[in-house]
Amino acid sequence: MTKFTAYAVDLNGTALARYDLAAPDKESAEREARQYLEQHPVIEVWSDDHRRVARLVRK
């Protein structure tokens, strides 16, 4: 099973926070990470094999 991590980053790409996601697939991980957009301008979701799955930007 792949593990997913969400990183809250600023607009320069500096990580501000890290969240471990309990999601079975990348679509679920992206949905779960959206909750952090209220607190941070950008959330990047990464898989445990070091691949960026999604980059979510608050509007």
Side-chain angles (χ1 to χ4, degrees), residues 3-4 6 8 11 13 19 28-29 31-33 35 37 43 48 56:
K3 295 181 183 177
F4 297 93
L11 297 176
Y19 303 98
S28 299
R31 282 193 301 273
E32 185 178 341
Q35 69 180 317
L37 279 175
I43 300 292
D48 62 349
L56 311 171

Side-chain angles (χ1 to χ4, degrees), residues 9-22:
V9 297
D10 64 15
L11 297 176
N12 294 319
T14 303
L16 304 172
R18 175 184 170 198
Y19 303 98
D20 292 323
L21 305 176

Side-chain angles (χ1 to χ4, degrees), residues 18-58:
R18 175 184 170 198
Y19 303 98
D20 292 323
L21 305 176
D25 56 47
K26 63 183 182 178
E27 291 82 12
S28 299
E30 184 176 340
R31 282 193 301 273
E32 185 178 341
R34 288 189 183 280
Q35 69 180 317
Y36 301 114
L37 279 175
E38 292 180 19
Q39 300 165 326
H40 305 286
V42 179
I43 300 292
E44 292 185 351
V45 180
W46 289 76
S47 64
D48 62 349
D49 60 355
H50 307 289
R51 295 178 190 212
R52 188 170 71 184
V53 173
R55 186 170 198 269
L56 311 171
V57 180
R58 181 175 58 200

